[in-house]
C-alpha cells in the first residue's frame, strides 16, 4: 500500500484533509524541510494518533492541522475550508470555535483558578449562562469536583492539572481535540487518568488527534500514523478502545517495531 | 565577556529604549543646568546691566514743573548725590499706533551729557534731529533703524524716524531734543530727574528718606533697584519653573530606567540563569546593567552643554519679552557637568538597586521556564459571575496581578494631574479677569473711572453710564483729603451709595452706609491698631469727626486710607459733591470696548480744536492742570491723562471748545502688565502640559511593555485558544485606564482644592474660581494620552506567536 493511499484510508467522513502540506523552517541555505508534500486525512469522530522519532514532524503536523502554525506550502482543508489562507484573526476565531488543545506542559494560567482557566476559553464563544454550567459539568465528568474549582494550577497534581487542560480544550465542544503529548510530563497513574478522559470523550463522539511517543498512549487510538523524515511511512487501524486488551497491545507494539520505533 | 561587552550586546537589542533614555537624561540635565545657572546669577546680570548702561540710581518725579528748580537745588546740596539730570518728558498715554492703544512716554534725550540715563542702541546719525525717535524695547518689534514711527494722539498723526532704540529698564522712549520740541505742544509735559549717588548701594535707603521728606508735596522717588529686584524675581520665577520641569524629567528618568532594568531582569531570568551556570557572577551581571546605562548616558554628555546654552538663551528671551530689555545671562559649563554627574550618579544607584534580583537567580532558572517568577494569584473578578465582559474581567485580573505597575501609573498621573491642575487653576484665575483679581486683592477697585466735565451732574452721568452695554454698576464717587487717625494727610475715598458695591467685599466687615461709619485701608488700620468696631477720628481742613470702623480693605492702587459714604463726607465738608463715577463691568465685558462706547456716546474721540498756538490754549491747560491737581489729591497717583466731556461741555472750558479730550480713565497699564505676566506664565504652563504628556506617554509605554513581557506566556496561550490580537490589545489597554483615572481624579482634585487654599493664603479673601471645564478637559486629555500610548504599544502582542511559546 502506497503511503498516499494509506494516509487517505479512513472509514469516517474526513474532517481535515491536507493537500501537499509542506513546512520548512529557516530560509535560503539554512532552510530545513520538516514536512514535505504530505497528504493526510482525519476522519470525523476518529481517534488518530501521530507517532514517530524526534524530528519526524509530529508536532509540526499537529499544529499545521489545527491552524496554530502556518505551513510553508500546500493546503489544510478543515471541513472543506482552506485554513492556510486565513488571516491571524480569522485563525484565532477558527481555533476558538473548532479546535481544542491539550499541551504536554498543560500551559494553564498560573494566576487564575481552575474554573477561570476553563472559562477563559469557554466564554470566547458562548454566553456565561450557558458556558458556566457546561464548564462545571465537564470538570465533574473529568473527575475534578467542585472542591478543586477554586484552586490554582500550582496547587494541583500533574494529572489534575492536565485534566483541567482537557476540560479547557473541550468546554466549547470543538470539532477536533488536538493533544500534543498530553501524558509526556505525567507519571503512569496520572497518565492513565488523562488517557481515560480522552477515551471517554472519543467514545462520546469527539474527534481526537494526538501526538505521542508512548506506545501505551497509542493503544487508545483507532488509527496510528507513523512519521519519519516528514512523511507518513506507516498506518495502523484498530478497533475502538474498550479497555485494556493484550491483543491490542501486541498489535500496536508489532506495528511500531516494524516501523523501527 | 566583561561587563562592558555584555552591555554593548544588550544595547544593540534595545536601541529604541536606549535612545529615549539618552534624550531624557540629556534634557533633564540641560534643564537642570540652565535653571541652576540662572538662579546662581541672582541679580548680578542686572547690576552688570546697570553698570554697562549707566542707568541712574534713583528716578524722581517732581510734583510739578515749578518744583523742579527747587528740587535740583536741593539735590545739589546733598553730599550723597553725585550727579543729577533733569529731563522733560511727554506723557502720551492715549496714543494709538496702527489703531491699537499704545501708551507712549517720551523722554528728551540728553546725549551730550556723560550721565545719560540710558544707552541708546544702534544710533543712526543721519536721521534729522527733529525726526529722531528711539522707541522703547517693548515697541521695538517690527521696526528697524530708518523706519517711520507713526502714532496718533488726540486725533493728530505724528511721524518720526527711528534713529535707534532705547534700552531703558523703565521702558521709556526717547526723542532727540529738536523732535521733542515739535511734539511738546501736543501733550502734557513733565520733568523727570535722575540721580546718581556717590554710593549706589544706598539707593534704597536714600530713596526712602527722600520720599518721607517729600510726602506732603507729592514729589516721589523710585530706586532703580526696585526694578532690578522685580526683574531678578521674574527671572528667578522663570528659572524656578524650568527647575520644576527638570525635576519632573529627572524623576521620570530615574523611574523609567529602574523600571526597565527591573522588568528586563525578570524577563531574562533563563538567560541570566544560563550565564550563571557558565560562571558569571551576580556582580558582573549587575555591572553590565550599570555599564549599559552609562553607555546610554554618554551621548547626553555631548548634548547637555549645547542644550543648557540653548535653554539659558530661551530663559533670556522670555525674560526680555517680559521686561522689555535683554539681560545677559551666562551658562556655566562646570555647573552643567555637575548636574549631569549628579543625575547619572542617582540613576546608576537606582539601576544597581533594581538589579538586586540577580543575586537570587540560579542556574536552575535556565532550564525551568518562568524560572523563579511568582505571579500573584487573584481570586477577584471571577469569570463565572459579576458584571463586565470576559475581556474586562481578565483586564481587571491583570491589573491586580500587576498592582505595582498600576500603582506607579496612578502616582505618576496624580503628580502630573496635580501640577497641571494647579497651573490650570492659576492661569484661569489670573489671565481671565485681572480686574477681579485686583478687586479681590484690594476689595476696592473699578474697571473704568469717568470724570465728568466741569459743572456736569455726576448723578445724572452715573445714571446714563449705567445704560452702556457691558456696564454692571456705576457708583458716583469723589474724595476728600485729610488725616485718618494718626496718618499723614491722605486721600479719603467717598462713595455716594456704597450699598451698590455688594459684589465687592472688604476682606473683613462691610462698606460704610451711615454717616458715622468708615472703612479703613488695612495699612492705615494697622498703624493705629484699629479693628472693626473701633472708633477713629477723621480730619479735613479744621473739621474733626468720629466714625465707627465697619470694614477693612486694601487698595492695590495705593494712596487712600479710608472710604466714607457721602453723608459721612458731608460731616467733614458740607459742600462735598461727587466728582467722578466708578464703573464696574459685567463678567466678560471688554474694557476697551466699553471705554470706546463711553467715549463715543459722551464725547468725541480725537480732533483737537486748538493747538498750543491757539490763544485759548493756556486757559485750557490751566484748567486741565487744576483738574489733574484735584485728582492727584484724591487718588494719590502720579498723573492722570484724560477726562471725558459730557452733554456738550468740554472739560477745559465751559464755553469755548478750546481743547477737547475724550478718554476715560482706566488702569489698563497695570492690568495689562499683569495680563502680560500671566500670559508668559501661561506659555510656560502650556510647556509644562506638553512635557507632562510626554512623561505620561513614556511611563505608559514602559508599563505596557513590561506587562506584555510578563504576560507573554499567558498572552500566547490566549492566542492559542482563540483570542484575537485586537481582543488582547483591548485587554491590556483597558487594565491601565482605572489606575490612570484614579490618579487623574486625585491629582486634579487636590490641585483644585490646594490651589484655592494656596491663593487664599497669599491673598486673604480671594475666592478662586475652579475652571471645571478646563480641569475635566485636562483629565480627559491625560486619559487619552495614556489610552493611545497603551493601544499603540500593545501592538506588539501581534508578534507573540502561540506556537513558539508552546514549543519553548
Amino acid at each position: 500500500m502506497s503511503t498516499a493511499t494509506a494516509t487517505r484510508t479512513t472509514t469516517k467522513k474526513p474532517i481535515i484533509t491536507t493537500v501537499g502540506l509542506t513546512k520548512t523552517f529557516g530560509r535560503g541555505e539554512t532552510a530545513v524541510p520538516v514536512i514535505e508534500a504530505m497528504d493526510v486525512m482525519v476522519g470525523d469522530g476518529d481517534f488518530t494518533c501521530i507517532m514517530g522519532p524526534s524530528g519526524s514532524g509530529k508536532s509540526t503536523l499537529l499544529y499545521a492541522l489545527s491552524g496554530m502554525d502556518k505551513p510553508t506550502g500546500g493546503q489544510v482543508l478543515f471541513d472543506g475550508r482552506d485554513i492556510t489562507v486565513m488571516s491571524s484573526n480569522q485563525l484565532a476565531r477558527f481555533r476558538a470555535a473548532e479546535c481544542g488543545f491539550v499541551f504536554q506542559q498543560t500551559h494553564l494560567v498560573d494566576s487564575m483558578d481552575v474554573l477561570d482557566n476553563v472559562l477563559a476559553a469557554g466564554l470566547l464563544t458562548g454566553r456565561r449562562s450557558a458556558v458556566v454550567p457546561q464548564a462545571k459539568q465537564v470538570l465533574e465528568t473529568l473527575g475534578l469536583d467542585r472542591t478543586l474549582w477554586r484552586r490554582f494550577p500550582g496547587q494541583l497534581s500533574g494529572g489534575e492539572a492536565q485534566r483541567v487542560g482537557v476540560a479547557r480544550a473541550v468546554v466549547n465542544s470543538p470539532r477536533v481535540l488536538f493533544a500534543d503529548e498530553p501524558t509526556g510530563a505525567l507519571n503512569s497513574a496520572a497518565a492513565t487518568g488523562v488517557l481515560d478522559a480522552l477515551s471517554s470523550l472519543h467514545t462520546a463522539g469527539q474527534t481526537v488527534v494526538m501526538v505521542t511517543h508512548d506506545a501505551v498512549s497509542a493503544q487508545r487510538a483507532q488509527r496510528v500514523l507513523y512519521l519519519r523524515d516528514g512523511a507518513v511511512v506507516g498506518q495502523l487501524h484498530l478497533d475502538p478502545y474498550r479497555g485494556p486488551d493484550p491483543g491490542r497491545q501486541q498489535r500496536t507494539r508489532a506495528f511500531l517495531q516494524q516501523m523501527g520505533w | 565577556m566583561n561587563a562592558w561587552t555584555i552591555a554593548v550586546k544588550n544595547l544593540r537589542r534595545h536601541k529604541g529604549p536606549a535612545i529615549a533614555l539618552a534624550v531624557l537624561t540629556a534634557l533633564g540635565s540641560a534643564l537642570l543646568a540652565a535653571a541652576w545657572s540662572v538662579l546662581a546669577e541672582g541679580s548680578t546680570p542686572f547690576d552688570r546691566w546697570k553698570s554697562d548702561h549707566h542707568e541712574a540710581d534713583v528716578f524722581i518725579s517732581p510734583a510739578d514743573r515749578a518744583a523742579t528748580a527747587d528740587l535740583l537745588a536741593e539735590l545739589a546740596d546733598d553730599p550723597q548725590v553725585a550727579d543729577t539730570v533733569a529731563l522733560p518728558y511727554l506723557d502720551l498715554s492715549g496714543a494709538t499706533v496702527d489703531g491699537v492703544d499704545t501708551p507712549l512716554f517720551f523722554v528728551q534725550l540728553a546725549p551730550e551729557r556723560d550721565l545719560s540715563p540710558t544707552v541708546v542702541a544702534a544710533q543712526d546719525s543721519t536721521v534729522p534731529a527733529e525726526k529722531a525717535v528711539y522707541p522703547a524695547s517693548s515697541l521695538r518689534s517690527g521696526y528697524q533703524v530708518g523706519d517711520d514711527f507713526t502714532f496718533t494722539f488726540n486725533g493728530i498723526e505724528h511721524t518720526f524716524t527711528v534713529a535707534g532704540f532705547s534700552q531703558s529698564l523703565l521702558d521709556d522712549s526717547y526723542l532727540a531734543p529738536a523732535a521733542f520740541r515739535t511734539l511738546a505742544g501736543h501733550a502734557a509735559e513733565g520733568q523727570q530727574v535722575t540721580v546718581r549717588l556717590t554710593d549706589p548701594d544706598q539707593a534704597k535707603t536714600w530713596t526712602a528718606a527722600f520720599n518721607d521728606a517729600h510726602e506732603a508735596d507729592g514729589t516721589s522717588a523710585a530706586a532703580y533697584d526696585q526694578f532690578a529686584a522685580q526683574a531678578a524675581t521674574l527671572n528667578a520665577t522663570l528659572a524656578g519653573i524650568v527647575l520644576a520641569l527638570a525635576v519632573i524629567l529627572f524623576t521620570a528618568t530615574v523611574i523609567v530606567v529602574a523600571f526597565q532594568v527591573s522588568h528586563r531582569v525578570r524577563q531574562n531570568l533563563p538567560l541570566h540563569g544560563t550565564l550563571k551556570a557558565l560562571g558569571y557572577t551576580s556582580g558582573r551581571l549587575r555591572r553590565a546593567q550599570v555599564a549599559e546605562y552609562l553607555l546610554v548616558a554618554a551621548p547626553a554628555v555631548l548634548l547637555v552643554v549645547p542644550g543648557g546654552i540653548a535653554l539659558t538663551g530661551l530663559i533670556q528671551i522670555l525674560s526680555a519679552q517680559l521686561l522689555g530689555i535683554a539681560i545677559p545671562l551666562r551658562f556655566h559649563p562646570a555647573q552643567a557637568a555637575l548636574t549631569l554627574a549628579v543625575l547619572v550618579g542617582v540613576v546608576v544607584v537606582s539601576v544597581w538597586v533594581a538589579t538586586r534580583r540577580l543575586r537570587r537567580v540560579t542556574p536552575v532558572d535556565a532550564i525551568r521556564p518562568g524560572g523563579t517568577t511568582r505571579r500573584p494569584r487573584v481570586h477577584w473578578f471571577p469569570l463565572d459571575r459579576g458584571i463586565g465582559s470576559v475581556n474586562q474581567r481578565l483586564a481587571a485580573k491583570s491589573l491586580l496581578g500587576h498592582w505595582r505597575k498600576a500603582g506607579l501609573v496612578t502616582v505618576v498621573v496624580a503628580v502630573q494631574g496635580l501640577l497641571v491642575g494647579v497651573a490650570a487653576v492659576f492661569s484661569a484665575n489670573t489671565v481671565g479677569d485681572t480686574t477681579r483679581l485686583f478687586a479681590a486683592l484690594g476689595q476696592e477697585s473699578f474697571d473704568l473711572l469717568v470724570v465728568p466735565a466741569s459743572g456736569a451732574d455726576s448723578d445724572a452721568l452715573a445714571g446714563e453710564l449705567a445704560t452702556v452695554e457691558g456696564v454692571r454698576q456705576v457708583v458716583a464717587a469723589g474724595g476728600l483729603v485729610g488725616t485718618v487717625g494718626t496718618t499723614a494727610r491722605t486721600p479719603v475715598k467717598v462713595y455716594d451709595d456704597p450699598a451698590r458695591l455688594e459684589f465687592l467685599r472688604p476682606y473683613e466687615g462691610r462698606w460704610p452706609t451711615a454717616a458715622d461709619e468708615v472703612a479703613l485701608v488695612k495699612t492705615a488700620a494697622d498703624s493705629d491698631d484699629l479693628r472693626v468696631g473701633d472708633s477713629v477720628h477723621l480730619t479735613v481742613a479744621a473739621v474733626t469727626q468720629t466714625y465707627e470702623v465697619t470694614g477693612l480693605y486694601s487698595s492695590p492702587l495705593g494712596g487712600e486710607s479710608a472710604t466714607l459714604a457721602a453723608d459721612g463726607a458731608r460731616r467733614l465738608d458740607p459742600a462735598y459733591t461727587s466728582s467722578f463715577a466708578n464703573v464696574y463691568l459685567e463678567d466678560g465685558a471688554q474694557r476697551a470696548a466699553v471705554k470706546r462706547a463711553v467715549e463715543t456716546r459722551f464725547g468725541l474721540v480725537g480732533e483737537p480744536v486748538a493747538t498750543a498756538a491757539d490763544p485759548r490754549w493756556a486757559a485750557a491747560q490751566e484748567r486741565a492742570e487744576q483738574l489733574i491737581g484735584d485728582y492727584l489729591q484724591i487718588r494719590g497717583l502720579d498723573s492722570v491723562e484724560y477726562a471725558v466731556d459730557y452733554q456738550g461741555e468740554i472739560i477745559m472750558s465751559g464755553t469755548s471748545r478750546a481743547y477737547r479730550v475724550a478718554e476715560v480713565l482706566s488702569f489698563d497699564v497695570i492690568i495689562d502688565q499683569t495680563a502680560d505676566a500671566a500670559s508668559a506664565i501661561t506659555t510656560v504652563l502650556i510647556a509644562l502640559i506638553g512635557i507632562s504628556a510626554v512623561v505620561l506617554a513614556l511611563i505608559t509605554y514602559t508599563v505596557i511593555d513590561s506587562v506584555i513581557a510578563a504576560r507573554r506566556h499567558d498572552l500566547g496561550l490566549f492566542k492559542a485558544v482563540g483570542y484575537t490580537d485586537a481582543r488582547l490589545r483591548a485587554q491590556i489597554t483597558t487594565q491601565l485606564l482605572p489606575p490612570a483615572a484614579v490618579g487623574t481624579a486625585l491629582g486634579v482634585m487636590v490641585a483644585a482644592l490646594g490651589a484655592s487654599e494656596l491663593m487664599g493664603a497669599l491673598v486673604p479673601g480671594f475666592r478662586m474660581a475652579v475652571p471645571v471645564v478646563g480641569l475635566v478637559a485636562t483629565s480627559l486629555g491625560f486619559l487619552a494620552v495614556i489610552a493611545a500610548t497603551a493601544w499603540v504599544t500593545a501592538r506588539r502582542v501581534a508578534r507573540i506567536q502561540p506556537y513558539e511559546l508552546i514549543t519553548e
Side-chain angles (χ1 to χ4, degrees):
Chain A
M1 188 190 302
S2 70
T3 301
T5 308
T7 55
R8 285 180 183 275
T9 302
T10 172
T11 57
K12 303 286 175 54
K13 172 183 165 240
I15 186 168
I16 305 176
T17 307
T18 70
V19 179
L21 180 69
T22 303
K23 178 67 182 181
T24 303
F25 290 102
R27 288 183 189 173
E29 291 179 2
T30 59
V32 176
V34 177
I35 298 175
E36 281 190 272
M38 184 186 288
D39 294 338
V40 163
M41 205 176 290
V42 174
D44 193 3
D46 259 353
F47 191 144
T48 305
C49 184
I50 303 171
M51 295 190 74
S54 293
S56 59
K58 305 187 298 292
S59 296
T60 305
L61 174 61
L62 184 79
Y63 293 120
L65 293 178
S66 61
M68 192 80 80
D69 189 21
K70 272 215 166 179
T72 319
Q75 287 180 306
V76 177
L77 303 173
F78 194 107
D79 212 9
R81 289 177 294 162
D82 184 0
I83 66 172
T84 58
V85 299
M86 286 183 181
S87 67
S88 170
N89 284 337
Q90 286 172 326
L91 279 172
R93 291 191 199 99
F94 159 74
R95 287 195 298 271
E98 310 284 5
C99 308
F101 295 93
V102 181
F103 308 104
Q104 179 177 5
Q105 298 295 337
T106 70
H107 290 296
L108 297 177
V109 180
D110 293 339
S111 57
M112 298 200 306
D113 59 37
V114 166
L115 187 58
D116 280 349
N117 264 284
V118 176
L119 291 174
L123 290 171
L124 263 178
T125 54
R127 289 180 169 277
R128 190 183 286 162
S129 55
V131 172
V132 172
Q134 168 78 357
K136 291 176 179 176
Q137 186 185 354
V138 167
L139 283 167
E140 286 189 342
T141 301
L142 291 172
L144 299 163
D145 61 35
R146 58 182 60 241
T147 59
L148 297 175
W149 293 352
R150 289 304 177 196
R151 288 194 190 174
F152 289 89
Q155 297 170 309
L156 302 175
S157 69
E160 288 169 341
Q162 193 59 291
R163 276 180 282 150
V164 173
V166 173
R168 179 182 63 191
V170 301
V171 68
N172 279 342
S173 303
R175 294 292 301 279
V176 181
L177 172 62
F178 295 91
D180 186 4
E181 311 228 27
T183 61
L186 304 176
N187 59 35
S188 57
T192 302
V194 171
L195 289 171
D196 286 345
L198 292 175
S199 294
S200 309
L201 288 166
H202 174 243
T203 302
Q206 178 71 59
T207 305
V208 180
V209 178
M210 181 174 72
V211 164
T212 185
H213 62 264
D214 173 35
V216 172
S217 301
Q219 290 174 38
R220 301 286 184 136
Q222 286 175 283
R223 185 163 160 250
V224 179
L225 297 176
Y226 197 88
L227 270 60
R228 188 184 297 125
D229 297 331
V232 178
V233 297
Q235 184 181 192
L236 174 67
H237 286 280
L238 298 169
D239 293 330
Y241 183 78
R242 300 266 186 262
D245 177 0
R248 189 186 187 94
Q249 183 182 6
Q250 203 172 8
R251 280 187 64 195
T252 307
R253 285 190 180 279
F255 167 75
L256 293 174
Q257 281 174 355
Q258 185 186 359
M259 292 293 108
W261 179 74
Chain B
M1 287 186 288
N2 62 23
W4 290 99
T5 310
I6 299 172
V8 169
K9 285 183 182 295
N10 283 342
L11 261 185
R12 285 205 188 115
R13 285 188 291 146
H14 305 108
K15 291 194 197 74
I19 292 170
L21 268 178
V23 169
L24 261 183
T25 304
L27 193 55
S29 302
L31 279 170
L32 264 176
W36 189 266
S37 286
V38 174
L39 290 171
E41 290 275 352
S43 63
T44 307
F46 308 100
D47 295 332
R48 278 205 306 274
W49 170 272
K50 186 180 152 194
S51 170
D52 291 346
H53 295 82
H54 306 290
E55 288 275 19
D57 297 314
V58 182
F59 298 86
I60 301 176
S61 300
D64 53 58
R65 296 177 68 180
T68 303
D70 293 336
L71 175 64
L72 289 173
E74 176 191 332
L75 294 172
D77 291 336
D78 189 332
Q80 286 186 281
V81 173
D83 198 359
T84 60
V85 176
L87 294 171
Y89 66 81
L90 294 172
D91 191 347
L92 281 70
S93 296
T96 58
V97 177
D98 294 332
V100 177
D101 288 343
T102 306
L104 295 175
F105 193 92
F106 289 114
V107 179
Q108 181 178 296
L109 189 63
E112 69 277 7
R113 293 294 305 267
D114 289 338
L115 179 62
S116 172
T118 188
V119 169
V120 178
Q123 296 193 57
D124 184 348
S125 58
T126 64
V127 174
E130 64 275 13
K131 302 296 284 182
V133 66
Y134 304 86
S137 295
S138 61
L139 302 171
R140 186 171 184 151
S141 174
Y143 292 101
Q144 294 182 357
V145 172
D147 286 349
D148 283 344
F149 183 84
T150 303
F151 60 89
T152 302
F153 181 69
N154 282 338
I156 298 177
E157 189 174 275
H158 304 273
T159 300
F160 294 91
T161 305
V162 177
F165 293 98
S166 162
Q167 295 184 98
S168 168
L169 194 56
L170 297 181
D171 205 35
D172 294 338
S173 301
Y174 285 82
L175 286 167
F180 188 92
R181 283 193 288 277
T182 67
L183 191 58
H186 295 272
E189 186 174 326
Q191 282 282 335
Q192 174 178 287
V193 177
T194 58
V195 176
R196 284 184 66 176
L197 301 174
T198 53
D199 182 1
D201 291 338
Q202 295 299 314
K204 271 192 186 153
T205 309
W206 189 93
T207 302
F210 181 91
N211 284 332
D212 284 342
H214 289 267
E215 187 178 354
D217 62 28
T219 296
S220 61
Y224 173 93
D225 283 348
Q226 80 178 61
F227 306 110
Q230 286 170 0
T233 301
L234 179 68
N235 242 32
T237 302
L238 285 172
I241 293 172
V242 170
L243 191 63
L245 294 174
V247 169
I248 291 171
L249 277 174
F250 185 105
T251 308
T253 305
V254 172
I255 291 174
V256 167
V257 169
F259 213 72
Q260 280 204 338
V261 167
S262 177
H263 126 69
R264 206 184 294 164
V265 165
R266 272 186 233 170
Q267 184 186 9
N268 292 326
L269 281 177
L271 169 63
H272 291 126
T274 302
L275 290 173
K276 279 211 166 177
L278 293 173
Y280 284 77
T281 61
S282 305
R284 182 177 291 201
L285 295 176
R286 293 175 82 181
R287 285 195 296 276
Q289 295 289 338
V290 171
E292 189 179 335
Y293 177 69
L294 289 175
L295 288 173
V296 165
V301 173
L302 300 174
L303 293 170
V304 72
V305 170
I309 292 173
L311 287 165
T312 305
L314 179 65
I315 296 174
Q316 193 169 330
I317 291 169
L318 276 175
S319 173
Q321 282 187 345
L322 291 168
L323 294 173
I325 60 167
I327 301 292
L329 293 169
R330 288 185 301 202
F331 176 78
H332 300 280
Q335 284 168 351
L338 179 63
T339 55
L340 180 61
V342 166
L343 175 59
V344 170
V346 170
V347 174
V348 163
V349 169
S350 70
V351 168
W352 189 256
V353 170
T355 56
R356 65 189 185 284
R357 180 186 273 263
L358 282 170
R359 291 181 302 185
R360 298 199 302 268
V361 170
T362 68
V364 171
D365 292 311
I367 54 177
R368 186 168 61 204
T372 56
T373 305
R374 294 264 185 273
R375 280 195 286 275
R377 298 164 177 174
V378 181
H379 269 302
W380 292 8
F381 300 101
L383 299 181
D384 60 329
R385 56 182 180 271
I387 58 172
S389 67
V390 61
N391 224 33
Q392 289 166 344
R393 295 184 80 75
L394 286 171
K397 281 179 179 291
S398 179
L399 168 63
L400 292 173
H402 298 94
W403 63 270
R404 285 196 192 91
K405 296 185 181 73
L408 172 68
V409 169
T410 303
V411 167
V412 170
V413 175
V415 169
Q416 299 298 322
L418 176 67
L419 289 171
V420 174
V422 169
V425 173
F426 268 92
S427 69
N429 280 276
T430 56
V431 172
D433 188 351
T434 45
T435 303
R436 191 170 72 84
L437 178 60
F438 273 121
L441 281 172
Q443 302 302 344
E444 191 281 316
S445 179
F446 51 84
D447 291 301
L448 297 172
L449 187 142
V450 178
V451 181
S454 171
D457 183 341
S458 295
D459 287 338
L461 172 63
E464 290 211 25
L465 283 171
T467 64
V468 174
E469 187 176 339
V471 172
R472 175 184 186 177
Q473 183 66 277
V474 181
V475 182
L480 302 171
V481 179
T483 60
V484 177
T486 61
T487 62
R489 192 163 166 269
T490 61
V492 174
K493 182 80 171 278
V494 181
Y495 285 111
D496 281 13
D497 185 5
R500 290 191 185 185
L501 298 175
E502 74 280 358
F503 49 87
L504 290 179
R505 286 170 290 162
Y507 70 78
E508 189 177 334
R510 60 174 176 79
W511 298 113
T513 53
D516 60 349
E517 295 177 344
V518 68
L520 297 181
V521 170
K522 192 172 185 306
T523 48
D526 286 346
S527 66
D528 285 337
D529 199 25
L530 292 168
R531 296 289 171 263
V532 173
D534 290 345
S535 295
V536 64
H537 299 301
L538 271 68
T539 303
V540 171
V543 180
T544 299
Q545 298 286 359
T546 303
Y547 296 84
E548 180 191 348
V549 178
T550 60
L552 299 178
Y553 69 101
S554 60
S555 173
L557 307 167
E560 69 205 49
S561 296
T563 294
L564 291 168
D567 289 340
R570 290 191 190 99
R571 290 176 66 208
L572 294 165
D573 178 3
Y576 165 80
T577 56
S578 59
S579 53
F580 54 88
N582 276 10
V583 177
Y584 301 88
L585 302 184
E586 301 279 0
D587 287 342
Q590 297 297 315
R591 191 180 304 110
V594 177
K595 188 175 159 190
R596 274 195 297 277
V598 171
E599 291 165 355
T600 303
R601 184 165 159 184
F602 299 106
L604 295 176
V605 176
E607 289 197 23
V609 181
T611 64
D614 193 298
R616 298 167 296 175
W617 175 263
Q621 192 74 3
E622 190 180 325
R623 178 72 183 95
E625 288 184 359
Q626 180 189 354
L627 183 73
I628 290 170
D630 288 344
Y631 188 72
L632 277 175
Q633 287 190 349
I634 294 167
R635 296 301 307 165
L637 293 173
D638 293 336
S639 67
V640 65
E641 295 84 15
Y642 311 101
V644 69
D645 63 344
Y646 175 67
Q647 291 181 345
E649 288 292 328
I650 312 301
I651 191 141
M652 301 304 171
S653 165
T655 56
S656 78
R657 301 166 74 80
Y659 186 72
R660 173 175 292 181
V661 293
E663 282 282 1
V664 176
L665 282 157
S666 75
F667 292 92
D668 285 340
V669 171
I670 299 172
I671 292 171
D672 287 347
Q673 281 176 351
T674 306
D676 284 344
S679 293
I681 292 171
T682 301
T683 303
V684 176
L685 296 175
I686 289 173
L688 177 68
I689 291 174
I691 290 183
S692 295
V694 170
V695 169
L696 278 180
L698 271 172
I699 297 291
T700 303
Y701 164 80
T702 303
V703 167
I704 294 294
D705 187 50
S706 166
V707 166
I708 292 173
R711 292 187 63 200
R712 193 160 173 265
H713 172 268
D714 297 346
L715 293 171
L717 180 65
F718 284 136
K719 273 200 167 184
V721 301
Y723 281 73
T724 59
D725 291 342
R727 192 182 276 250
L728 293 175
R729 281 176 80 184
Q731 196 185 110
I732 291 167
T733 303
T734 303
Q735 76 177 67
L736 214 54
L737 293 181
V742 168
T744 304
L746 269 176
V748 166
M749 246 176 17
V750 172
L753 294 171
S756 188
E757 287 299 312
L758 179 62
M759 195 63 170
L762 293 172
V763 182
F766 185 68
R767 310 281 188 287
M768 182 163 270
V770 176
V772 174
V773 172
L775 291 177
V776 169
T778 303
S779 306
L780 292 175
F782 276 0
L783 289 175
V785 166
I786 290 170
T789 307
W791 182 256
V792 169
T793 309
R795 280 184 310 178
R796 56 190 61 198
V797 296
R799 287 190 232 145
I800 298 174
Q801 298 299 324
Y803 178 64
E804 292 169 7
L805 282 170
I806 288 156
T807 56
E808 272 180 356

